[in-house]
Amino acid sequence: MKNLNTTERTNNQETLTDSNYQKVREWLREKSGVELGDKRHVLVQSRLNRRLKEISAKNINVYIDWLSNPENEKNPEWENFIDVLTTHETYFYREAQHFDFLRQMIVPEYRKKNFRVLSAACSSGEEVYTLAFELAESLGLNSNWTVKGVDISNDVIKTAKLGYYNESRARMVPENIRKKYLLKGVGEHQGFCKVKKNIQEKITFGTANILKPIKPSPFQLIFCRNILIYFDNETKRQLIKNLFNHLSEGGYLIVSQTEQLRDYVSANMLVSSSIARKC
Protein backbone atom coordinates (compact mmCIF):
# COMPACT_ATOMS: atom_id res chain seq x y z
CA MET A 1 0.00 0.00 0.00
CA LYS A 2 3.08 2.25 -0.19
CA ASN A 3 2.00 3.94 -3.42
CA LEU A 4 -1.43 4.65 -1.98
CA ASN A 5 -0.02 6.33 1.12
CA THR A 6 2.39 8.43 -0.92
CA THR A 7 -0.27 9.55 -3.38
CA GLU A 8 -2.84 10.52 -0.80
CA ARG A 9 -0.60 13.20 0.67
CA THR A 10 -0.74 15.16 -2.56
CA ASN A 11 -4.50 15.05 -2.96
CA ASN A 12 -6.79 15.51 0.02
CA GLN A 13 -10.24 15.31 -1.57
CA GLU A 14 -12.03 13.32 1.14
CA THR A 15 -15.63 13.05 -0.14
CA LEU A 16 -16.51 10.00 -2.19
CA THR A 17 -17.34 11.11 -5.73
CA ASP A 18 -20.45 9.87 -7.51
CA SER A 19 -18.37 8.13 -10.16
CA ASN A 20 -16.31 6.31 -7.55
CA TYR A 21 -19.45 5.34 -5.65
CA GLN A 22 -20.68 3.69 -8.84
CA LYS A 23 -17.36 1.87 -9.13
CA VAL A 24 -17.73 0.58 -5.58
CA ARG A 25 -21.30 -0.44 -6.29
CA GLU A 26 -20.28 -2.36 -9.40
CA TRP A 27 -17.33 -4.07 -7.70
CA LEU A 28 -19.40 -5.18 -4.74
CA ARG A 29 -22.15 -6.54 -6.99
CA GLU A 30 -19.59 -8.42 -9.08
CA LYS A 31 -17.57 -9.87 -6.19
CA SER A 32 -20.29 -10.61 -3.62
CA GLY A 33 -23.69 -10.18 -5.25
CA VAL A 34 -24.57 -7.34 -2.87
CA GLU A 35 -26.50 -4.47 -4.48
CA LEU A 36 -25.89 -1.15 -2.74
CA GLY A 37 -28.47 0.84 -4.67
CA ASP A 38 -28.27 4.54 -5.43
CA LYS A 39 -28.45 6.09 -1.96
CA ARG A 40 -25.81 4.55 0.28
CA HIS A 41 -23.01 7.04 -0.27
CA VAL A 42 -22.84 7.86 3.46
CA LEU A 43 -22.67 4.20 4.46
CA VAL A 44 -19.88 3.48 1.95
CA GLN A 45 -17.99 6.63 2.93
CA SER A 46 -18.18 5.72 6.63
CA ARG A 47 -17.10 2.11 6.21
CA LEU A 48 -14.25 2.84 3.81
CA ASN A 49 -13.01 5.64 6.06
CA ARG A 50 -12.72 3.01 8.79
CA ARG A 51 -10.40 1.03 6.51
CA LEU A 52 -8.41 4.14 5.53
CA LYS A 53 -7.63 4.80 9.21
CA GLU A 54 -6.27 1.28 9.55
CA ILE A 55 -3.81 1.81 6.68
CA SER A 56 -3.00 5.43 7.62
CA ALA A 57 -4.49 6.88 4.44
CA LYS A 58 -6.88 9.82 4.26
CA ASN A 59 -8.21 10.10 0.74
CA ILE A 60 -11.04 7.80 -0.18
CA ASN A 61 -10.96 8.60 -3.90
CA VAL A 62 -7.24 7.88 -4.18
CA TYR A 63 -7.97 4.57 -2.48
CA ILE A 64 -10.62 3.76 -5.12
CA ASP A 65 -8.24 4.79 -7.91
CA TRP A 66 -5.57 2.55 -6.43
CA LEU A 67 -7.95 -0.42 -6.46
CA SER A 68 -8.84 0.43 -10.07
CA ASN A 69 -5.24 -0.04 -11.18
CA PRO A 70 -4.93 -3.39 -13.04
CA GLU A 71 -1.61 -3.95 -11.28
CA ASN A 72 -3.53 -4.24 -7.99
CA GLU A 73 -6.18 -6.63 -9.29
CA LYS A 74 -4.95 -9.51 -7.12
CA ASN A 75 -3.75 -7.46 -4.17
CA PRO A 76 -4.90 -8.78 -0.74
CA GLU A 77 -6.42 -5.34 -0.08
CA TRP A 78 -9.42 -6.41 -2.16
CA GLU A 79 -10.33 -8.84 0.61
CA ASN A 80 -10.28 -5.99 3.14
CA PHE A 81 -12.40 -3.87 0.80
CA ILE A 82 -15.07 -6.61 0.60
CA ASP A 83 -14.87 -7.29 4.34
CA VAL A 84 -15.51 -3.73 5.42
CA LEU A 85 -18.51 -3.31 3.13
CA THR A 86 -20.22 -6.65 3.80
CA THR A 87 -19.76 -7.19 7.55
CA HIS A 88 -22.89 -6.62 9.64
CA GLU A 89 -23.35 -6.69 13.40
CA THR A 90 -25.38 -9.52 14.83
CA TYR A 91 -26.03 -11.15 18.23
CA PHE A 92 -27.03 -14.44 19.82
CA TYR A 93 -30.70 -15.49 19.51
CA ARG A 94 -31.54 -12.82 16.95
CA GLU A 95 -35.16 -13.37 15.78
CA ALA A 96 -35.71 -15.97 18.47
CA GLN A 97 -38.96 -17.28 16.92
CA HIS A 98 -36.92 -19.18 14.35
CA PHE A 99 -35.10 -21.04 17.11
CA ASP A 100 -38.49 -21.88 18.65
CA PHE A 101 -39.50 -23.35 15.28
CA LEU A 102 -36.26 -25.32 15.13
CA ARG A 103 -36.82 -26.74 18.60
CA GLN A 104 -40.50 -27.53 18.24
CA MET A 105 -40.99 -28.46 14.58
CA ILE A 106 -37.69 -29.56 13.04
CA VAL A 107 -35.63 -31.26 15.73
CA PRO A 108 -38.23 -34.00 16.48
CA GLU A 109 -37.75 -35.29 12.92
CA TYR A 110 -34.02 -35.81 13.43
CA ARG A 111 -33.63 -37.33 16.87
CA LYS A 112 -32.08 -40.50 15.45
CA LYS A 113 -30.85 -39.17 12.12
CA ASN A 114 -27.84 -37.34 10.79
CA PHE A 115 -28.61 -33.61 11.01
CA ARG A 116 -26.40 -31.10 9.20
CA VAL A 117 -27.10 -27.38 9.47
CA LEU A 118 -25.68 -24.51 7.42
CA SER A 119 -25.59 -20.89 8.57
CA ALA A 120 -25.03 -18.97 5.32
CA ALA A 121 -23.63 -15.43 5.53
CA CYS A 122 -22.99 -16.17 9.20
CA SER A 123 -21.04 -12.96 9.91
CA SER A 124 -19.12 -13.23 13.22
CA GLY A 125 -20.74 -16.51 14.21
CA GLU A 126 -23.38 -15.72 16.83
CA GLU A 127 -26.11 -17.41 14.78
CA VAL A 128 -23.95 -20.51 14.33
CA TYR A 129 -23.38 -20.86 18.06
CA THR A 130 -27.05 -20.22 18.82
CA LEU A 131 -27.98 -23.08 16.52
CA ALA A 132 -25.43 -25.28 18.27
CA PHE A 133 -26.79 -24.33 21.72
CA GLU A 134 -30.28 -25.36 20.63
CA LEU A 135 -29.16 -28.65 19.11
CA ALA A 136 -27.04 -29.48 22.13
CA GLU A 137 -30.05 -28.90 24.37
CA SER A 138 -32.51 -30.81 22.18
CA LEU A 139 -30.37 -33.65 20.82
CA GLY A 140 -27.40 -33.79 23.16
CA LEU A 141 -23.75 -33.05 22.49
CA ASN A 142 -22.99 -36.64 21.54
CA SER A 143 -25.70 -36.93 18.88
CA ASN A 144 -24.98 -36.95 15.14
CA TRP A 145 -25.41 -33.26 14.34
CA THR A 146 -23.07 -30.55 13.08
CA VAL A 147 -23.32 -26.86 12.21
CA LYS A 148 -21.29 -25.18 9.46
CA GLY A 149 -20.96 -21.40 9.21
CA VAL A 150 -19.78 -19.63 6.05
CA ASP A 151 -19.26 -16.00 5.12
CA ILE A 152 -17.52 -14.14 2.32
CA SER A 153 -15.48 -12.14 4.85
CA ASN A 154 -12.33 -13.80 6.11
CA ASP A 155 -12.09 -11.37 9.04
CA VAL A 156 -15.49 -12.26 10.51
CA ILE A 157 -14.79 -15.96 10.07
CA LYS A 158 -11.62 -15.51 12.13
CA THR A 159 -13.74 -13.87 14.84
CA ALA A 160 -16.32 -16.66 14.62
CA LYS A 161 -13.67 -19.35 15.06
CA LEU A 162 -12.47 -17.68 18.27
CA GLY A 163 -15.98 -17.66 19.76
CA TYR A 164 -15.03 -14.66 21.92
CA TYR A 165 -17.60 -11.87 22.22
CA ASN A 166 -18.57 -8.76 24.09
CA GLU A 167 -21.24 -9.75 26.62
CA SER A 168 -23.66 -7.34 24.97
CA ARG A 169 -23.86 -9.78 22.05
CA ALA A 170 -25.07 -12.47 24.47
CA ARG A 171 -27.79 -10.38 26.09
CA MET A 172 -30.58 -12.59 24.67
CA VAL A 173 -29.04 -15.92 25.71
CA PRO A 174 -31.21 -17.66 28.35
CA GLU A 175 -29.42 -17.93 31.68
CA ASN A 176 -29.41 -21.74 31.75
CA ILE A 177 -27.85 -21.83 28.25
CA ARG A 178 -25.31 -19.20 29.19
CA LYS A 179 -24.14 -21.21 32.22
CA LYS A 180 -23.78 -24.41 30.20
CA TYR A 181 -22.06 -23.19 27.07
CA LEU A 182 -20.44 -19.79 27.70
CA LEU A 183 -17.46 -18.89 29.85
CA LYS A 184 -17.75 -15.55 31.63
CA GLY A 185 -14.72 -13.33 31.33
CA VAL A 186 -12.85 -12.24 34.47
CA GLY A 187 -9.99 -9.86 35.09
CA GLU A 188 -8.78 -8.37 31.82
CA HIS A 189 -11.54 -10.32 30.02
CA GLN A 190 -14.34 -8.88 32.15
CA GLY A 191 -17.29 -7.84 29.99
CA PHE A 192 -16.61 -10.61 27.47
CA CYS A 193 -17.65 -14.23 27.10
CA LYS A 194 -16.26 -17.26 25.24
CA VAL A 195 -18.00 -20.27 23.77
CA LYS A 196 -16.96 -23.49 25.49
CA LYS A 197 -14.85 -26.06 23.67
CA ASN A 198 -17.54 -28.78 23.78
CA ILE A 199 -19.77 -26.60 21.57
CA GLN A 200 -16.97 -25.44 19.27
CA GLU A 201 -16.09 -29.06 18.52
CA LYS A 202 -19.50 -29.51 16.83
CA ILE A 203 -18.93 -26.56 14.49
CA THR A 204 -16.89 -25.79 11.38
CA PHE A 205 -16.36 -22.39 9.76
CA GLY A 206 -15.16 -21.38 6.32
CA THR A 207 -15.14 -18.59 3.76
CA ALA A 208 -17.54 -18.97 0.88
CA ASN A 209 -19.58 -16.96 -1.60
CA ILE A 210 -23.13 -18.22 -0.97
CA LEU A 211 -24.05 -17.62 -4.61
CA LYS A 212 -21.71 -20.48 -5.52
CA PRO A 213 -21.55 -24.17 -4.53
CA ILE A 214 -20.93 -24.86 -0.85
CA LYS A 215 -19.31 -28.13 0.16
CA PRO A 216 -20.00 -30.56 1.65
CA SER A 217 -23.72 -30.83 1.12
CA PRO A 218 -26.59 -31.61 1.41
CA PHE A 219 -27.88 -29.95 4.58
CA GLN A 220 -31.14 -30.64 6.36
CA LEU A 221 -31.51 -27.01 7.48
CA ILE A 222 -30.12 -23.75 6.10
CA PHE A 223 -30.35 -20.40 7.88
CA CYS A 224 -29.70 -17.47 5.55
CA ARG A 225 -31.01 -14.42 7.35
CA ASN A 226 -30.68 -10.66 6.94
CA ILE A 227 -28.79 -10.86 3.67
CA LEU A 228 -31.50 -10.95 0.98
CA ILE A 229 -32.18 -7.26 1.54
CA TYR A 230 -28.78 -6.49 0.01
CA PHE A 231 -29.53 -8.26 -3.29
CA ASP A 232 -31.62 -7.31 -6.31
CA ASN A 233 -34.51 -9.59 -7.29
CA GLU A 234 -32.58 -11.61 -9.85
CA THR A 235 -29.74 -12.25 -7.41
CA LYS A 236 -32.24 -13.25 -4.74
CA ARG A 237 -33.69 -15.85 -7.10
CA GLN A 238 -30.21 -17.11 -7.91
CA LEU A 239 -29.29 -17.33 -4.23
CA ILE A 240 -32.46 -19.12 -3.14
CA LYS A 241 -32.13 -21.60 -6.01
CA ASN A 242 -28.53 -22.27 -4.99
CA LEU A 243 -29.48 -22.81 -1.36
CA PHE A 244 -32.28 -25.18 -2.28
CA ASN A 245 -29.78 -27.16 -4.33
CA HIS A 246 -27.85 -27.65 -1.09
CA LEU A 247 -30.88 -28.94 0.85
CA SER A 248 -31.82 -32.58 1.19
CA GLU A 249 -35.40 -33.57 0.39
CA GLY A 250 -37.62 -32.34 3.22
CA GLY A 251 -34.97 -29.85 4.33
CA TYR A 252 -35.82 -26.35 5.51
CA LEU A 253 -34.64 -22.88 4.41
CA ILE A 254 -35.12 -20.03 6.88
CA VAL A 255 -34.61 -16.36 6.01
CA SER A 256 -35.19 -13.25 8.12
CA GLN A 257 -38.71 -12.33 9.17
CA THR A 258 -38.21 -9.01 7.40
CA GLU A 259 -37.53 -10.89 4.16
CA GLN A 260 -40.02 -12.77 2.01
CA LEU A 261 -39.83 -16.13 0.25
CA ARG A 262 -43.26 -16.18 -1.38
CA ASP A 263 -42.04 -14.52 -4.58
CA TYR A 264 -39.20 -17.02 -5.00
CA VAL A 265 -40.56 -20.47 -4.12
CA SER A 266 -43.77 -22.31 -4.98
CA ALA A 267 -46.70 -21.99 -2.58
CA ASN A 268 -46.61 -25.66 -1.58
CA MET A 269 -43.09 -25.16 -0.20
CA LEU A 270 -44.00 -22.25 2.08
CA VAL A 271 -44.33 -22.91 5.80
CA SER A 272 -44.47 -19.18 6.52
CA SER A 273 -43.29 -16.04 4.75
CA SER A 274 -39.73 -16.67 6.03
CA ILE A 275 -39.62 -20.49 6.09
CA ALA A 276 -39.76 -22.91 3.16
CA ARG A 277 -39.40 -26.68 2.89
CA LYS A 278 -37.93 -28.56 -0.05
CA CYS A 279 -40.35 -31.13 -1.42
Side-chain angles (χ1 to χ4, degrees):
M1 301 294 285
K2 182 178 180 181
N3 292 340
L4 174 61
N5 293 334
T6 301
T7 305
E8 66 86 14
R9 294 191 186 99
T10 66
N11 180 356
N12 199 33
Q13 183 184 3
E14 296 184 6
T15 301
L16 181 66
T17 65
D18 288 342
S19 61
N20 277 340
Y21 175 80
Q22 293 305 322
K23 282 184 184 179
V24 170
R25 180 181 176 183
E26 181 179 341
W27 290 340
L28 202 60
R29 186 192 306 117
E30 176 187 332
K31 294 179 181 295
S32 71
V34 171
E35 174 53 70
L36 285 170
D38 294 322
K39 300 179 180 180
R40 294 192 173 179
H41 290 66
V42 174
L43 172 68
V44 171
Q45 177 95 36
S46 174
R47 293 199 171 191
L48 289 183
N49 279 342
R50 185 191 315 165
R51 177 58 187 158
L52 295 184
K53 288 180 180 179
E54 292 173 353
I55 59 176
S56 300
K58 295 181 180 179
N59 190 303
I60 194 169
N61 293 300
V62 172
Y63 176 73
I64 300 302
D65 290 343
W66 185 88
L67 288 173
S68 300
N69 189 327
E71 293 182 0
N72 299 319
E73 184 178 353
K74 296 183 179 180
N75 192 283
E77 181 58 25
W78 275 103
E79 185 174 292
N80 296 312
F81 169 82
I82 297 298
D83 282 354
V84 78
L85 289 176
T86 58
T87 301
H88 310 288
E89 184 177 20
T90 184
Y91 52 89
F92 293 89
Y93 282 92
R94 186 176 184 178
E95 297 187 41
Q97 297 93 327
H98 286 151
F99 300 104
D100 293 338
F101 183 85
L102 167 65
R103 188 185 318 116
Q104 297 164 13
M105 304 303 295
I106 302 179
V107 164
E109 298 182 35
Y110 293 96
R111 291 202 181 276
K112 295 184 180 181
K113 300 177 184 177
N114 182 40
F115 189 39
R116 300 185 64 249
V117 182
L118 173 67
S119 174
C122 71
S123 190
S124 45
E126 290 90 336
E127 178 179 272
V128 178
Y129 290 119
T130 304
L131 286 163
F133 294 163
E134 286 298 315
L135 295 179
E137 286 294 285
S138 300
L139 298 175
L141 277 168
N142 295 322
S143 296
N144 194 18
W145 61 266
T146 58
V147 184
K148 181 178 182 67
V150 299
D151 198 279
I152 199 170
S153 167
N154 189 53
D155 277 356
V156 295
I157 289 298
K158 288 178 181 177
T159 298
K161 286 179 178 179
L162 289 174
Y164 181 74
Y165 301 98
N166 190 295
E167 280 191 340
S168 64
R169 301 284 186 93
R171 60 189 180 275
M172 303 297 291
V173 179
E175 188 60 27
N176 65 311
I177 301 291
R178 185 191 297 256
K179 288 180 179 179
K180 281 187 180 182
Y181 305 120
L182 289 173
L183 296 170
K184 184 178 178 64
V186 296
E188 64 179 311
H189 301 288
Q190 186 171 0
F192 293 85
C193 59
K194 192 175 191 317
V195 179
K196 290 185 178 180
K197 184 178 180 180
N198 57 356
I199 284 288
Q200 290 187 309
E201 288 174 343
K202 301 289 287 186
I203 292 166
T204 58
F205 288 103
T207 55
N209 184 331
I210 59 175
L211 292 167
K212 298 179 179 180
I214 302 168
K215 296 181 179 180
S217 64
F219 300 92
Q220 285 69 53
L221 171 64
I222 296 177
F223 269 52
C224 186
R225 305 188 304 167
N226 300 293
I227 191 69
L228 291 180
I229 57 174
Y230 298 102
F231 297 144
D232 59 28
N233 286 334
E234 183 54 37
T235 307
K236 288 177 185 177
R237 289 189 181 89
Q238 179 186 346
L239 172 58
I240 291 168
K241 180 180 179 181
N242 186 47
L243 294 177
F244 264 89
N245 286 340
H246 288 80
L247 278 175
S248 61
E249 290 298 319
Y252 291 86
L253 171 64
I254 297 180
V255 300
S256 171
Q257 292 175 323
T258 61
E259 298 163 335
Q260 300 289 320
L261 285 171
R262 60 172 53 94
D263 292 333
Y264 306 101
V265 302
S266 59
N268 66 314
M269 292 183 177
L270 285 176
V271 177
S272 72
S273 63
S274 61
I275 302 174
R277 189 174 192 185
K278 185 175 181 178
C279 57

Coordinates of all heavy atoms in Angstrom, one line a residue, residues 15 19 65 74 107 109 169 187-188 210 225 240 257 259 266:
T15 N -14.3 13.5 0.1 CA -15.6 13.0 -0.1 C -15.7 12.1 -1.3 O -15.1 12.4 -2.4 CB -16.5 14.3 -0.4 OG1 -16.5 15.1 0.7 CG2 -18.0 13.8 -0.6
S19 N -18.9 9.1 -9.2 CA -18.4 8.1 -10.2 C -17.7 7.0 -9.4 O -17.8 5.8 -9.8 CB -17.4 8.8 -11.1 OG -16.3 9.4 -10.5
D65 N -9.1 4.8 -6.7 CA -8.2 4.8 -7.9 C -7.2 3.7 -7.8 O -6.8 3.1 -8.8 CB -7.6 6.2 -8.1 CG -8.6 7.2 -8.5 OD1 -9.7 6.9 -8.9 OD2 -8.3 8.4 -8.3
K74 N -5.0 -8.4 -8.0 CA -4.9 -9.5 -7.1 C -4.4 -9.2 -5.8 O -4.0 -10.1 -5.0 CB -4.1 -10.6 -7.8 CG -4.8 -11.2 -9.1 CD -4.0 -12.3 -9.6 CE -4.7 -12.9 -10.9 NZ -3.9 -14.0 -11.5
V107 N -36.4 -30.3 15.0 CA -35.6 -31.3 15.7 C -36.3 -32.6 15.9 O -35.6 -33.7 15.8 CB -35.2 -30.6 17.1 CG1 -34.7 -31.7 18.0 CG2 -34.1 -29.6 16.8
E109 N -37.9 -34.4 14.1 CA -37.7 -35.3 12.9 C -36.4 -35.9 12.8 O -36.1 -36.9 12.1 CB -38.0 -34.5 11.6 CG -39.4 -33.9 11.5 CD -39.5 -33.1 10.2 OE1 -38.9 -33.6 9.2 OE2 -40.2 -32.1 10.2
R169 N -23.4 -8.9 23.1 CA -23.9 -9.8 22.0 C -24.6 -11.0 22.6 O -25.4 -11.6 21.8 CB -22.7 -10.3 21.2 CG -21.8 -9.2 20.6 CD -22.5 -8.6 19.4 NE -21.6 -7.7 18.7 CZ -20.8 -8.0 17.7 NH1 -20.8 -9.2 17.2 NH2 -20.0 -7.1 17.1
G187 N -11.2 -10.6 35.2 CA -10.0 -9.9 35.1 C -10.0 -9.0 33.8 O -10.9 -8.3 33.6
E188 N -8.9 -9.2 33.0 CA -8.8 -8.4 31.8 C -9.8 -8.7 30.8 O -10.0 -8.0 29.8 CB -7.4 -8.5 31.2 CG -7.0 -9.9 30.8 CD -5.7 -10.0 30.2 OE1 -5.3 -9.2 29.3 OE2 -4.9 -10.9 30.6
I210 N -21.9 -17.4 -1.0 CA -23.1 -18.2 -1.0 C -23.9 -18.3 -2.3 O -24.9 -19.0 -2.4 CB -24.1 -17.8 0.2 CG1 -24.5 -16.3 0.0 CG2 -23.4 -18.0 1.5 CD1 -25.5 -15.8 1.0
R225 N -30.2 -15.5 6.9 CA -31.0 -14.4 7.4 C -30.3 -13.1 7.3 O -29.1 -12.9 7.4 CB -31.4 -14.7 8.8 CG -32.1 -16.1 9.0 CD -32.7 -16.3 10.3 NE -31.7 -16.1 11.4 CZ -32.0 -15.9 12.7 NH1 -33.3 -15.9 13.1 NH2 -31.1 -15.8 13.6
I240 N -31.5 -18.2 -3.7 CA -32.5 -19.1 -3.1 C -32.4 -20.4 -3.9 O -32.5 -21.5 -3.3 CB -33.9 -18.5 -3.1 CG1 -33.9 -17.4 -2.1 CG2 -34.9 -19.6 -2.8 CD1 -35.1 -16.5 -2.1
Q257 N -37.3 -12.7 9.1 CA -38.7 -12.3 9.2 C -39.0 -11.0 8.4 O -40.2 -10.8 8.0 CB -39.2 -12.2 10.6 CG -39.2 -13.6 11.3 CD -39.6 -13.5 12.8 OE1 -39.2 -12.5 13.5 NE2 -40.3 -14.4 13.3
E259 N -37.7 -10.5 5.6 CA -37.5 -10.9 4.2 C -38.7 -11.8 3.8 O -39.4 -12.3 4.6 CB -36.2 -11.6 4.0 CG -35.0 -10.7 4.3 CD -33.7 -11.4 4.6 OE1 -33.7 -12.6 4.9 OE2 -32.6 -10.8 4.4
S266 N -42.4 -22.0 -4.7 CA -43.8 -22.3 -5.0 C -44.6 -22.3 -3.7 O -44.0 -22.6 -2.6 CB -43.9 -23.7 -5.7 OG -43.3 -24.7 -4.9

